[in-house]
Amino acid sequence: MDYEQFRARYQQVFDSIESQPAAHFAPSLAQLRAMAAAIQSPKDRRRAENQIATIGDVLSYDDEPPLSPAMVNAVRAHDRGSADAGTPAERIARAESATIEIGRIADTAGPAEQAAILDLNEPLYMLIMSLESAESR
């Protein structure tokens, strides 16, 4: 993943902040975190992580009710699955495990929330594909 791809997606998310409630952005933030983790350059990766933190700060001012317990658990599972520690094989296994856990959480959530929870799997799939591609080189 290169920084410019991340930057384009980041800008889309950032530009839409005023038009959506904070809870709407959980999947987008998860996707941005996964994209940032896949950036090769440490300098660009740090810059991307700082930009994600900026979105988090902006969203923290939103007075929306807190996320549901199901969404909180799904975001935590996503964060564990997208952690950048370990070998590519370990990271792939962790991401695959997180997608399964997120699926189970979505199954227990209400219908209105299921799609948003399942959207957290998309960046994990992207991470898995990126790591598998890197391993095959």
Side-chain angles (χ1 to χ4, degrees):
M1 162 84 41
D2 81 3
Y3 177 76
E4 291 308 315
Q5 290 173 308
F6 166 86
R7 179 77 176 131
R9 178 67 181 128
Y10 166 84
Q11 198 60 52
Q12 289 174 334
V13 173
F14 191 81
D15 290 345
S16 66
I17 285 177
E18 290 184 5
S19 66
Q20 299 289 332
H24 170 82
F25 291 96
S28 295
L29 286 174
Q31 178 186 36
L32 288 172
R33 285 186 191 104
M35 292 174 78
I39 295 173
Q40 298 297 322
S41 163
K43 179 181 175 186
D44 287 341
R45 188 170 46 249
R46 232 179 353 268
R47 188 165 64 170
E49 290 165 351
N50 288 338
Q51 290 173 311
I52 294 167
T54 298
I55 289 178
D57 290 344
V58 171
L59 292 175
S60 70
Y61 291 109
D62 195 343
D63 58 355
E64 286 288 313
L67 297 176
S68 73
M71 182 58 85
V72 168
N73 288 333
V75 169
R76 286 181 182 150
H78 175 274
D79 287 346
R80 284 190 302 273
S82 61
D84 61 357
T87 66
E90 291 168 336
R91 292 179 67 196
I92 290 168
R94 199 170 42 243
E96 288 173 340
S97 176
T99 62
I100 293 167
E101 184 177 353
I102 289 168
R104 280 194 297 256
I105 293 167
D107 288 343
T108 66
E113 197 172 32
Q114 285 179 338
I117 290 172
L118 288 172
D119 282 346
L120 293 172
N121 276 336
E122 182 182 348
L124 291 172
Y125 289 128
M126 291 172 46
L127 177 62
I128 291 166
M129 293 173 67
S130 172
L131 291 169
E132 288 175 341
S133 174
E135 273 193 327
S136 65
R137 289 185 213 159

